[in-house]
Each structure stands twice: as C-alpha cells, then as structure tokens.
Amino acid sequence: MKICGRKALLAAALALAMSLCPLAAHAEEPAQTALPVQWTEYGSSQTFTLTAPEAGSYALVMEYRAFESRSDFIELDVQVQNGQNALSLEGATLERPLEVLPIRQDSEGNDLRGGTELADVTVRRALSAPASPDQPWQMELAEGEVTVTVTAKRADFELLDLALEPVSESEAYAGPAEGYSPAGEAVVVQAEAVSTVSTSTLGAQYDRGGPSVQPSDPGRLVLNIAGGENWNQAGQWMEWQVEVPETGLYAVRFKARQNIKSGLASNRRLLVDGAVPCAEAEDIVFPYSADWQMVTLSTAEGEEVLLPLEAGTHTLRLEVVSGPTASAVTGLRTALNDLNGVYRQIVMVTGVNPDKNRDYSLGKLIPTLADDLAAGKAALEEQMAALEALAGQEQGDEMTTLNTLIVQLGSFVEDTESIPLRLANFKSNLDNLATWLNTLSQQPLELDYLVLDVPGSGREAEKAGFWENLVFSVKGLWASFFHNYDTTGSNENAQLEVWVGAGRDQMHILQEMIDETFTPATGITVQLSMVQQGVAEAVLAGEGPDAVFFAGNTEPANLAMRGALEPLDDYPGFEELKEQFQSQSFVPYEYDGLTYGVPFTQQFSMLFYRTDIFEELGLEVPKTWEDLFGIIPVLQRKNMQVGVPSSDQTFATLLFQQGGQYYNEDATATALGDNTAVEVFRQYTRLFSDYDLPLSYDFFNRFCSGEMPLAIADYTEYNRLTVAAPQISGLWEMALLPGTEQEDGSIDRSTLAGAGQGGYILATSEHKDEAWQLLQWFASAEAQAEFGKRSEAVLGSAGRYAAANQEAFRQLPWLADEQELLMTQWEAVRENPQPPGCYYMQRNLTNAFRQVVLDGQNPREMLDRYMDEVDRELERKRMEYSDIYHG
C-alpha cells in the first residue's frame, strides 16, 4: 500500500531524498559546517544551500531532536531564495514530543496525571505556516539552487537534516491488501493510556458523566478519557502504543464525543507507525453528538477501511486537522477585519457614543460606506452558506451570531443614517462574531477508547440506561459525604498541613512536585488543602495550618501585626533566597523591620499599542507622559480613546516618577502633603476630567476593535492577546510604560506593582523548621520555574505564571526580546509598605479622586482633607496593634 504523499512528510521511515549542501553561517565569509548542528541560541540564524532537481511544488522538511528548554515548542522564521523568487515563513513551530508518565493516585485514591517528560525521539516533519499548522508549507520552486536561511526564535534542538521534498496527494483506499486475512480478535486501547503527545496540555482527563465511560467510578476521580477542550488546535496530536496479537486486517473505530460545536464536526488525521495509510485517514469526521458515538474509518461510500497490520507493537497517532471549516473561518476572519475597519471609520465620525439627535451624514462623509457594508454582508453570507452545507441544515444555534450580523448589515445598507443609533449593537455583534470564530476554528474531541476491530463487527458505543445512570448518581452523592475532593497529600498523618489559595489544578501540580522532589529530599510529608476564603479568620481563631501558600500580598502584614505569623529573617538561607527577587518584592511582606512572607507572584503594567493604527495616523510610541498627553487629542479627534487605569496605581506611577512616596520613612504617616504630591494628584485627575479618559473600560475588547489603540494594562494581557485575539496578530506591540524625564536626560519609569501572592508560616505551627524548608524550596528559582511550566502545560499560554522570582522568570517560555522588555520595566517596579490602617489610603485616594473628577472639587483641598483622615486612622491602628504585636 502506498503511503499518502502529502503526509508522508511526517513518516520516520522516509529516506533522505535530496542532496544537502554544507551549512553556511551568517558572516562576511561563511564558514562551512557539517550537519548535525546543535541550535541553542535564541535569535541565531543559519544559512543552508539545497537543490530543487526540477520545477515544482516542494515542502521544506526538517529532521531534528529536541532538547530540554524553557519553551515547550521550537519557533522558526525562514527565508528562501530561489533565483529571483524570494519566499518567507514567519512563526513556524516544531513540537517537542513528550512522553506521558503513568497515572498516579493520591491518598484518597483519586487518579492524578503522571506528568510528562521530553521524549527521546527523532522527528522528521515538514514546516507549516502558522495559519495552517496541519498542512505543509508549499513552495513553488524553479529547478536549481535554493538558499534557505533559518532563524530560531525559540531554539534548543539538534538539526539533523534539512531537505526539499515534493508535495503530492494521498491515494484513496483501494480495498483490502492482498495476502492478509481478517483479524479474529479485537484490540481495545483505553484513550487515557496515551503514550506520547505533541504538547503537555494534552493527555488523560476526568469524566464523571455516567457509567458508560470505561472505566468509571462514582466515588473517585478517575482519569478515563483523553482529549477534551484542550485538544482543539490544528497540528496537536496524541499517540498510543498498541500490541497487535496476530497479523491480519483490522477495522479502526473510535468511541468519541464532540458535544461543543453544535451542528459542526471535529476532524482528525490518523497515522499508523508514522504514516497516513490512505486518503480517507487524512480527514476523519467526528460529527456533533451530545452522547458518545462510535466512529469508524470508512470510505465516502461507507465501506470500512481495513488496515493490514503485522503482529507486534504499532503506533497510532490522531492529529487535529482544520477540516472543511478552515476556508470558511479564513473568509470570516477577513470579513471581520474589514468590518472592524468600517466600524473604526464610523467611530472617527460619530464617536463611541453618538448623539441620537444629530444627523451625521455618514453617507457623505464616508462615500464608500454602503458599498463596504454590502461587501461585508455578501462575504458573510457566502461563508454562512458554506457552513450550513457542512452542518447539513439551514439554521443552527451556532449560526445565530452570524445571521444576526448579516441582518443588521442589510438594514445598514438600506439606511446608513440609522447606524449611529445602533452603533453599540453593531460593535457588540462584531465582538460576538470574533468570539464565535475562536470557537469555530477549534476542533475539540473526547475519546473513551480506540479499537483495532474485527472487520464487520458492527460494534457500537455503550450507552447506560436510566436505572444505571440513577444508581451511579446516587452512589456518587453518597460518596461525596465521605470523600474530600479539596484535599490531596501523601497521607493523612503528614507532618505539614498547608492551605493553598489557588485552583485545584495548581494544587495538584504543587502536590506532584512535593511528592517527586521535596519529600524524597527531606523526608517531610505534606498535605495540601484548597482553602480560598476565610483564611485570615481561621488563622486568628487558632484553627490554621502550618503554612499558607498563594495568599494575597496584603495578608501577611495584616496578620503579622496581630502576632499570628512567624518572622523569617533568621532562618537559614533567607538572605540568599531574597537575592533571587526584585529589590521591592518583599516590601509588602515586611512589618516593623521583620519579614513575614515570601512572594510567589508579582504583576505590573506595560503599555500596549496598535501598530496598524499608529502607522496609519503617523504616531510614535510615547516615551514620556508629555508624549502621551500629546497623543490623546490626536486619537480623540478620530473618536478613539487612550486607556489609563483610573485606580491609584496611575497616581502612584506619576508620584514615584516625581520622587514622591505614599508614606514617611517609618510608615507612620502619609507623605502626600507637599507640593509635588499635590501637583501629581492634579495631573492624575486631569487625565479624566480635562482629557476625558474613560474611568472604566474593557481593555481586551476595545483594544481588539481598535477603539482604544493605546492602553496601559497588566503585562499578563500579552499572552491573552496572543492566544485569544488571532484577528489582530501582528498588529500590536507591547512597550515600556511612559516615564518622566529627569534632569540628566534619563527617563524614570517607576510604577506601582499590581497584584501579587505569596506564602507565610503561622506562629502557632509546631513544625516551623519543616515549614520553612518547604517555603524556601517552593520559592526557589528551580521550583518556581518548574511550577510555572507545569501550570502553563495545564492552563495554556494564556495562563502563564507571573513568577516573582526573577531567576525563575528567566526560565519561563518568553521570547528573548519579550523577556528583555519585561525585565527592563520590572526593575522600575516599586511596592508600597503595609502599615496598620493602610487600607484607608487607597479608600481615601479614591474618595478624593471622585470628588475632583465627578464633582469638580479643588484637588489640593480634597487631597489634604482625605489624607488627614488617613493620618488619623494610621495613628489609631498603630496604637491599637502596637500593644498586640509587642505583647
């Protein structure tokens, strides 16, 4: 049987087909270097010379072995020169295959994922464009020399071979292979027994929906399926090792469920021992179904595809493919981008909130408006028809969003002057379409098991009846009275009890790390409990644990002043640990000269801007606040806005850059009574009173739509935009915050840190030394980096860990230029101390701000008035807690 040509690029069995000239490094006189090449430097480039034996369509194939890395994938930019023909590919990714470790169990008998480790395998595959990661990047080349320059944006791999291979189509199934008899015994492979995955977000999952899933347990958490919503991006794959007992012909079936994309299917490609067996395996359709169903690899006529397999071990891989919806998604994204451009044109005339009594004459001011709207409507209708043909129905729940926008565009074409009255609704419909497109482009699928089946068996998915489901539910309810699902640990008699203020996934990751690393090294056993509310109350009542992890950074000082926490300064290794953090990180955890906690996370703001809009308007990224004040009216004249948080974080940023601070040296009184503070407060309030910046806004949606092309937001929004806003990919950047120019010409970019979490030890603990060993270990660079990588493996890139430990941060999968930018801003981040009564500071700054901005009061008078109240509260609390703290 011939291996399908289009996917044969992935087959490990393919021999080298093209000659490969020696490597040429970038230099004035390139040095010739023989393969293999170890590629460890991020941002480095290498140049290769290949040969196209004849004109035609080629794929660029790499054979490589991945190394351990801070990034979970390899990212490359490629430049190709073939005579006068120049081609480029940006952001091509190569996976780091991961071996899935065996499922473990906690002390309650619940299944836990065993984690992953880098697989020791050689990979041979074609490079793909980011827009089509499941298809090879095709190059139309002329006969002759081909120069390929590869830049590794994310490196850490050994390049073994680089070759040009012709692209060809797969051959259709031509019937059972000669010389093979039908198999007499089926082989069932449980999906949770996955052996290798393309990314650590994939693997076994829990399903407690009923007894029809194999295996199932009403009282325990059982890892009994694979895939789910994480297995939804084109190019992702999972592999299973299958022991075939006898040589023969086997049908391939999957017990699967796709109940997320109503009316639409998910699609997968099947590879057997590294190769696609036939064209039918290129795109296996898993239709929408609310329940489990059996899907069989078949021809278009419904004939079972029978695979000839020899007795022994075989590898089955299922890879996500875009399927027939890919072209519709591409067309809809193009139409959405065009319509967002039309929306921005309208907003430049009417503003975000048009006057309903005004005639804007949009048809005259935007002559192409009606034609642009009609073109957008036609494009949406074309793609909707394609999707309805795929869904096999005229309407469906999934089409409602699209149809609503089409109807609205039709009414706009008929009467453009009605647009201002419905502009907010138009914007909402565009946002809904963008969200729906993200869902539409995904290919989620759950698998219960795979079967190499006896041909013609007629196997169907097992379904539980009413009584079976009822009994299962009752047993589950009964078990919930005796089973603690919020606790995990080595055993019930663990030496340390730790409360964790994070989610269940993070708690399990932490427990895995403790069991794998900390307990074997120290002999100290630990039990974790997920407790997210009432921690302070329990601690003060004397009912607390030995330590608390992932508590808010305002909590340690609040408890320390009440004598509830253990100071950490004299513990061995404390000073060495502090050196791994930014200089201000420990400030919120200090009280009366002692330190009562260790930071785990620290967040801060960055500046985000839309490069396309800035280029269109001829604007430059603001370096100082004066630059920012100059940009605001330019954008506002186009009815666009600048996003600056109205919280006291903006006031603190301006204040710190002017050399001011919130409190005096010993934090016993405010330091906001001088002229500098008053002038900063006046400047802060003017942003919202004189410049009319919005007091609140949805950064993500308004930035994506272009209404707010310049905004200050937490740096964690970078990953959210990267993952959840593909429609503006390449149209935005992150930059340093605007600063204040100093006398020497330098720019001070000081800013107040955002949210943060840390850990502390209770004064009532009977195991303080052991608790310190745990806290010291987890706050270390090695443990924090590992926790961050494992968390991202579960939550995805959008949930990247905001490590406070700077050595750990350097090991997280940021690109070099991203990391350098963040580290530069991070060095200017400052923290405020947390003296008794500090809660009154933020409250009264907000009160003063509202009086000035909303009621037009005098800034100096309001600041003086409310800071007097803060001083009185600070003095009262200081006296109150001084007696408690000092006994």
Side-chain angles (χ1 to χ4, degrees):
M1 181 180 299
K2 181 178 178 180
I3 294 176
C4 298
R6 186 169 52 159
K7 289 297 118 189
L9 304 173
L10 299 170
L14 282 179
L16 303 182
M18 300 295 165
S19 61
L20 183 60
C21 294
L23 174 72
H26 278 173
E28 293 183 6
E29 295 182 4
Q32 301 299 314
T33 305
L35 290 169
V37 175
Q38 293 193 355
W39 218 318
T40 58
E41 183 181 350
Y42 282 40
S44 62
S45 300
Q46 304 286 357
T47 298
F48 305 85
T49 302
L50 309 178
T51 301
E54 59 183 9
S57 181
Y58 289 87
L60 187 62
V61 179
M62 280 190 168
E63 185 173 317
Y64 67 95
R65 182 182 296 272
F67 299 150
E68 291 286 352
S69 174
R70 68 173 186 259
S71 179
D72 57 359
F73 59 90
I74 299 162
E75 185 175 1
L76 308 172
D77 288 345
V78 179
Q79 303 292 328
V80 176
Q81 190 70 42
N82 174 225
Q84 298 300 313
N85 186 22
L87 304 170
S88 64
L89 173 63
E90 294 187 359
T93 60
L94 299 172
E95 67 269 18
R96 301 183 190 277
L98 300 171
E99 179 184 347
V100 180
L101 302 178
I103 294 172
R104 304 181 298 107
Q105 290 188 329
D106 65 13
S107 59
E108 297 283 341
N110 297 311
D111 283 354
L112 299 175
R113 283 182 283 271
T116 58
E117 63 182 19
L118 188 65
D120 184 18
V121 296
T122 297
V123 181
R124 185 175 180 84
R125 57 154 293 186
L127 291 184
S128 300
S132 303
D134 57 318
Q135 301 294 339
W137 178 50
Q138 297 189 28
M139 302 175 291
E140 296 300 326
L141 302 177
E143 179 182 350
E145 183 177 282
V146 180
T147 302
V148 180
T149 300
V150 181
T151 302
K153 297 170 70 174
R154 301 178 194 264
D156 299 324
F157 67 100
E158 182 179 27
L159 181 62
L160 303 173
D161 184 37
L162 182 69
L164 296 172
E165 294 188 1
V167 177
S168 60
E169 293 296 322
S170 306
E171 288 189 356
Y173 177 67
E178 296 181 1
Y180 289 84
S181 301
E185 179 182 354
V187 182
V188 178
V189 182
Q190 292 298 328
E192 63 272 15
V194 58
S195 62
T196 314
V197 293
S198 61
T199 175
S200 51
T201 57
L202 305 181
Q205 302 289 331
Y206 303 100
D207 184 273
R208 305 188 70 201
S212 62
V213 179
Q214 299 179 8
S216 61
D217 191 307
R220 295 188 305 113
L221 294 176
V222 178
L223 289 166
N224 52 4
I225 64 171
E229 293 188 54
N230 286 340
W231 193 28
N232 61 20
Q233 299 297 323
Q236 291 180 330
W237 54 260
M238 294 192 289
E239 282 186 350
W240 293 264
Q241 297 295 317
V242 184
E243 285 293 332
V244 175
E246 60 175 324
T247 300
L249 295 171
Y250 291 84
V252 185
R253 311 187 203 282
F254 309 91
K255 183 183 176 185
R257 180 173 64 187
Q258 194 287 97
N259 59 356
I260 297 175
K261 294 170 59 178
S262 177
L264 295 171
S266 287
N267 303 76
R268 294 295 185 270
R269 173 184 294 129
L270 173 67
L271 292 89
V272 180
D273 297 328
V276 179
C278 59
E280 287 76 5
E282 290 276 9
D283 192 352
I284 304 174
V285 178
F286 292 84
Y288 171 82
S289 175
D291 204 351
W292 293 95
Q293 58 182 323
M294 193 67 71
V295 175
T296 299
L297 176 60
S298 306
T299 66
E301 293 74 27
E303 178 188 357
E304 290 181 346
V305 172
L306 302 182
L307 301 183
L309 297 176
E310 302 292 333
T313 303
H314 294 270
T315 300
L316 300 184
R317 173 187 292 187
L318 276 182
E319 179 184 355
V320 182
V321 292
S322 301
T325 61
S327 60
V329 170
T330 300
L332 287 172
R333 288 202 191 283
T334 300
L336 177 62
N337 289 338
D338 292 342
L339 289 171
N340 273 324
V342 173
Y343 172 77
R344 286 200 301 274
Q345 284 184 300
I346 297 170
V347 166
M348 287 181 183
V349 175
T350 67
V352 178
N353 298 302
D355 184 347
K356 64 181 181 180
N357 296 314
R358 178 179 171 183
D359 183 359
Y360 288 93
S361 300
L362 288 176
K364 295 180 180 179
L365 294 175
I366 310 176
T368 63
L369 180 58
D371 291 340
D372 291 341
L373 292 170
K377 176 176 178 290
L380 296 182
E381 287 175 332
E382 178 183 355
Q383 303 308 329
M384 183 174 178
L387 290 173
E388 286 178 342
L390 292 173
Q393 55 189 29
E394 293 184 357
Q395 281 292 336
D397 293 340
E398 294 291 309
M399 305 296 180
T400 302
T401 299
L402 188 54
N403 189 58
T404 299
L405 183 55
I406 290 173
V407 172
Q408 185 177 56
L409 290 173
S411 66
F412 285 172
V413 172
E414 294 178 1
D415 183 8
T416 57
E417 297 310 312
S418 70
I419 294 176
L421 297 177
R422 295 181 287 164
L423 187 61
N425 185 252
F426 180 39
K427 172 62 172 57
S428 177
N429 288 334
L430 291 176
D431 290 343
N432 291 339
L433 178 58
T435 301
W436 179 65
L437 276 177
N438 286 336
T439 301
L440 183 63
S441 62
Q442 296 173 356
Q443 301 282 333
L445 185 68
E446 296 172 318
L447 286 180
D448 186 7
Y449 57 76
L450 306 81
V451 187
L452 293 178
D453 206 0
V454 176
S457 69
R459 184 188 298 264
E460 296 183 355
E462 301 85 353
K463 298 183 184 297
F466 171 79
W467 292 109
E468 290 176 288
N469 283 318
L470 179 62
V471 170
F472 187 87
S473 298
V474 171
K475 287 182 177 179
L477 177 63
W478 177 255
S480 68
F481 291 102
F482 306 99
H483 200 112
N484 188 350
Y485 298 104
D486 292 330
T487 299
T488 184
S490 304
N491 56 67
E492 296 180 356
N493 299 315
Q495 292 168 261
L496 291 179
E497 181 184 4
V498 179
W499 288 0
V500 179
R504 185 185 303 278
D505 286 328
Q506 290 92 332
M507 182 179 70
H508 282 304
I509 292 169
L510 176 55
Q511 187 69 65
E512 290 172 2
M513 291 175 58
I514 290 171
D515 292 344
E516 293 171 8
T517 306
F518 177 75
T519 297
T522 64
I524 300 170
T525 54
V526 183
Q527 177 171 290
L528 305 180
S529 297
M530 188 171 63
V531 181
Q532 297 182 325
Q533 294 182 345
V535 175
E537 292 80 358
V539 169
L540 294 176
E543 299 296 330
D546 294 290
V548 174
F549 282 10
F550 292 101
N553 64 0
T554 61
E555 195 171 289
N558 185 40
L559 292 173
M561 67 183 66
R562 293 167 167 84
L565 301 189
E566 173 75 4
L568 306 176
D569 306 77
D570 294 333
Y571 279 92
F574 177 75
E575 291 300 327
E576 291 79 2
L577 181 65
K578 283 186 68 174
E579 293 175 0
Q580 300 177 16
F581 292 79
Q582 195 255 12
S583 60
Q584 291 276 305
S585 297
F586 280 81
V587 170
Y589 301 87
E590 297 172 350
Y591 176 71
D592 201 27
L594 295 175
T595 309
Y596 291 90
V598 176
F600 296 159
T601 67
Q602 187 181 30
Q603 296 174 215
F604 53 90
S605 296
M606 296 291 287
L607 186 68
F608 294 84
Y609 67 100
R610 286 285 298 269
T611 54
D612 55 337
I613 297 176
F614 267 55
E615 182 178 347
E616 179 184 334
L617 299 179
L619 298 175
E620 294 185 358
V621 183
K623 297 180 179 179
T624 67
W625 286 97
E626 290 301 319
D627 295 340
L628 180 67
F629 294 148
I631 287 176
I632 291 174
V634 175
L635 293 176
Q636 288 181 336
R637 280 195 293 270
K638 298 294 185 179
N639 288 308
M640 291 183 280
Q641 281 287 7
V642 173
V644 176
S646 61
S647 66
D648 71 313
Q649 190 173 20
T650 299
F651 171 68
T653 297
L654 292 165
L655 180 69
F656 293 162
Q657 292 177 8
Q658 295 284 355
Q661 56 187 23
Y662 273 30
Y663 303 102
N664 61 14
E665 290 302 320
D666 56 2
T668 58
T670 64
L672 300 181
D674 58 17
N675 289 333
T676 298
V678 172
E679 184 55 36
V680 167
F681 186 70
R682 189 188 310 276
Q683 187 181 26
Y684 163 51
T685 54
R686 282 187 63 212
L687 285 167
F688 305 94
S689 58
D690 296 357
Y691 287 93
D692 197 29
L693 298 190
L695 294 174
S696 62
Y697 52 87
D698 184 330
F699 163 74
F700 181 81
N701 283 329
R702 298 188 73 174
F703 187 75
C704 290
S705 71
E707 295 173 53
M708 187 174 283
L710 180 66
I712 294 173
D714 194 279
Y715 85 83
T716 56
E717 291 288 345
Y718 183 92
N719 288 306
R720 185 184 176 200
L721 287 168
T722 301
V723 173
Q727 68 271 24
I728 58 170
S729 177
L731 302 179
W732 62 274
E733 291 287 349
M734 179 174 65
L736 299 174
L737 289 176
T740 300
E741 188 171 355
Q742 306 299 299
E743 293 182 357
D744 61 359
S746 63
I747 297 177
D748 188 330
R749 301 183 190 275
S750 297
T751 184
L752 180 64
Q757 293 180 309
Y760 55 78
I761 300 172
L762 272 67
T764 55
S765 171
E766 297 179 356
H767 306 284
K768 295 185 180 68
D769 289 337
E770 292 84 355
W772 165 247
Q773 290 184 60
L774 177 66
L775 181 57
Q776 180 188 26
W777 165 78
F778 184 60
S780 68
E782 183 180 358
Q784 284 289 289
E786 181 64 20
F787 181 82
K789 292 175 183 177
R790 295 194 187 194
S791 296
E792 187 166 341
V794 174
L795 303 174
S797 298
R800 182 167 298 166
Y801 188 58
N805 187 307
Q806 291 190 321
E807 292 185 16
F809 178 83
R810 291 186 179 95
Q811 299 178 48
L812 296 179
W814 293 95
L815 289 176
D817 55 346
E818 299 167 352
Q819 194 172 85
E820 181 181 357
L821 190 68
L822 290 168
M823 291 297 294
T824 300
Q825 183 61 62
W826 200 351
E827 290 307 313
V829 170
R830 292 176 58 178
E831 294 273 10
N832 266 330
Q834 301 290 315
C838 63
Y839 60 87
Y840 229 52
M841 173 63 83
Q842 184 175 8
R843 181 185 305 174
N844 280 278
L845 275 174
T846 301
N847 290 338
F849 172 84
R850 289 173 177 170
Q851 290 286 337
V852 174
V853 174
L854 302 181
D855 295 338
Q857 298 294 322
N858 182 276
R860 176 181 290 275
E861 292 177 1
M862 291 302 100
L863 188 62
D864 289 344
R865 169 185 164 185
Y866 282 102
M867 288 308 101
D868 285 344
E869 292 189 19
V870 175
D871 283 332
R872 287 193 293 270
E873 183 68 8
L874 290 174
E875 176 65 17
R876 187 178 72 84
K877 288 295 183 181
R878 187 170 64 86
M879 298 302 295
E880 177 183 344
Y881 289 113
S882 178
D883 293 338
I884 297 175
Y885 179 76
H886 295 289

